Amino acid sequence: MKYMILGTGGTGGCIGGYLAASGKDVTFIARGQHLKAMKENGLLIHSSLRGKIHLKKVKAFDSQETLEKYDVIFVCVKGYSLHEIVPLIAKTSHKKTVVIPILNTLNASEKLQKALPGINVLDGCIYVSAFISTPGEITQGIKIFRVVFGPKEDTDIDNNLLLQIQEDLLESGIEGILSNNMRRDIFKKFAFTSACAATGAYYDVKAGEMQKEGKYNNTFLALLKELQLIANALNIQLDCDLIEESLQILAGLASDTTSSLQKDMKLGGNNEKSELIFDIVRIAEKYGVDVPYYQKIAMHFGYKN
Ligand SMILES: NC(=O)C1=CN([C@@H]2O[C@H](COP(=O)(O)OP(=O)(O)OC[C@H]3O[C@@H](n4cnc5c(N)ncnc54)[C@H](OP(=O)(O)O)[C@@H]3O)[C@@H](O)[C@H]2O)C=CC1
Ligand SMILES: CC(C)(CO)C(=O)C(=O)O
């Protein structure tokens, strides 16, 4: 099975790095200094789970260089880069290729499917904390590494292929979960990240501050309560207590963790505030749900209705 990692950043570097380290056929798509470093020295992952993973030689290309077709494409770019990678997916897919977006957004899969009719786009999400620490190197910071994926409702995808992907993930040391309710699972993962990233970015605090009782933790909880109302409005049946589950994930983060939203805001370029914060306000407006905490944070970051 041939895997392509479309976007070798924090998430893609970890998925592809683990798969390649266990002998799977992986091609990495990257660009800039990071790609240059990978071509010269391979990929180095500093992992809290596995120690150092050093792949001395990797198949790394930019989006123009790769001409092959792949069986599985993990889409691991930020929400704001999604539109630019569509031609590459179209070029590198065959009839049975499955595309698995793992982004922290509620509708990445729908957007891709709309732009790529005839290609099998699954739903996916990821539990990991990782970032490019220097070109060619990824730092992975928590002990959870889980990829949840599955077909969208009412689609017909070869189940053996999905089971094979799950087996490959498990063999590589990634907790691969094949789900038959991705609407629920994406919302659960999104909810944690959205509340965590919105709180962290608004107050400019690290996970350790949010873990303690007090103002930051209260905001995190208030956002989660609003997300529960959004889930109700969208008719998403959660199989857990959103607050309990999110508190558990928060407790597992290293105290110096900041979300990728916060990191991107500090860098001053593009960021995912539209997907992670504004989208909730948009949904709330559409369904008439009261979300004062999201509203306040969205306005602070420039949301205009
Ligand atoms: N990092 C984390 O811990 C987690 C992230 N997520 C989510 O996963 C998604 C991916 O995040 P993350 O891995 O952090 O993102 P990163 O920014 O670390 O990685 C994405 C990489 O893809 C590259 N890229 C984008 N477009 C192209 C292109 N056309 N050709 C080649 N390379 C390209 C980017 O390059 P460039 O920088 O030049 O744009 C970047 O290196 C986001 O939705 C995020 O919210 C979910 C859970 C945890
Ligand atoms: C888990 C968390 C909040 C931190 O890495 C994340 O998902 C992100 O960075 O987007």
Side-chain angles (χ1 to χ4, degrees):
M1 194 116 88
K2 285 160 75 80
Y3 286 92
M4 178 167 93
I5 301 296
L6 210 178
T8 311
T11 54
C14 287
I15 298 176
Y18 277 55
L19 284 169
S22 77
K24 313 295 177 219
D25 183 346
V26 181
T27 294
F28 296 89
I29 304 299
R31 63 184 173 193
Q33 288 303 312
H34 187 49
L35 175 62
K36 186 166 177 281
M38 287 172 70
K39 283 184 185 238
E40 283 166 10
N41 307 313
L43 181 67
L44 177 59
I45 305 178
H46 306 276
S47 162
S48 51
L49 272 176
R50 300 258 297 265
K52 258 189 196 171
I53 302 174
H54 193 182
L55 301 158
K56 295 204 170 90
K57 217 170 156 29
V58 289
K59 290 196 269 183
F61 304 112
D62 70 21
S63 56
Q64 306 299 318
E65 287 169 331
T66 180
L67 299 168
E68 291 178 50
K69 306 273 184 203
Y70 298 89
D71 304 307
V72 182
I73 300 177
F74 278 106
V75 178
C76 305
V77 297
K78 294 272 170 58
Y80 50 78
S81 301
L82 210 52
H83 61 282
E84 55 173 294
I85 49 91
V86 165
L88 179 59
I89 300 179
K91 183 175 85 172
T92 53
S93 298
H94 54 69
K95 268 203 330 234
K96 291 199 161 173
T97 298
V98 293
V99 176
I100 309 181
I102 55 69
L103 287 75
N104 269 332
T105 66
L106 286 174
N107 57 7
S109 167
E110 281 69 28
K111 280 189 186 162
L112 283 178
Q113 189 64 83
K114 210 167 157 203
L116 293 159
I119 292 179
N120 300 315
V121 182
L122 306 189
D123 275 323
C125 61
I126 185 168
Y127 293 73
V128 73
S129 176
F131 60 98
I132 299 175
S133 33
T134 194
E137 298 189 22
I138 309 280
T139 296
Q140 182 198 3
I142 46 168
K143 297 211 184 289
I144 310 175
F145 188 9
R146 180 183 308 148
V147 172
V148 189
F149 68 103
K152 288 201 277 301
E153 279 162 27
D154 304 326
T155 51
D156 183 22
I157 311 263
D158 175 6
N159 203 45
N160 288 330
L161 178 61
L162 303 185
L163 288 170
Q164 180 63 54
I165 298 168
Q166 182 185 33
E167 201 176 308
D168 285 351
L169 291 170
L170 293 171
E171 270 176 28
S172 308
I174 303 169
E175 188 187 351
I177 297 181
L178 183 50
S179 162
N180 58 12
N181 191 343
M182 281 309 298
R183 218 172 150 245
R184 172 198 68 201
D185 292 338
I186 285 189
F187 192 88
K188 265 164 51 176
K189 170 64 207 328
F190 172 86
F192 166 73
T193 310
S194 169
C196 178
T199 308
Y202 184 69
Y203 292 110
D204 195 16
V205 289
K206 297 181 177 165
E209 297 299 315
M210 265 181 266
Q211 286 159 347
K212 291 186 257 175
E213 276 182 25
K215 176 164 89 172
Y216 311 129
N217 189 267
N218 288 343
T219 300
F220 177 67
L221 296 178
L223 293 172
L224 285 166
K225 284 187 189 143
E226 294 181 357
L227 286 162
Q228 179 63 65
L229 300 178
I230 294 288
N232 298 346
L234 294 175
N235 208 10
I236 297 175
Q237 313 289 333
L238 298 172
D239 60 350
C240 66
D241 180 328
L242 198 56
I243 292 191
E244 278 306 308
E245 182 144 325
S246 301
L247 280 171
Q248 262 179 36
I249 303 172
L250 179 66
L253 293 184
S255 58
D256 63 349
T257 305
T258 54
S259 68
S260 30
L261 175 69
Q262 224 171 323
K263 288 191 191 76
D264 285 347
M265 281 184 171
K266 286 234 153 50
L267 290 173
N270 276 326
N271 65 59
E272 292 184 312
K273 68 182 179 186
S274 178
E275 291 85 355
L276 282 168
I277 302 174
F278 298 179
D279 273 354
I280 291 302
V281 180
R282 291 184 187 112
I283 298 172
E285 282 165 359
K286 183 169 170 196
Y287 288 86
V289 181
D290 201 21
V291 291
Y293 277 83
Y294 266 102
Q295 194 92 35
K296 182 173 83 172
I297 294 177
M299 302 291 244
H300 173 78
F301 286 125
Y303 177 75
K304 289 186 183 56
N305 46 6

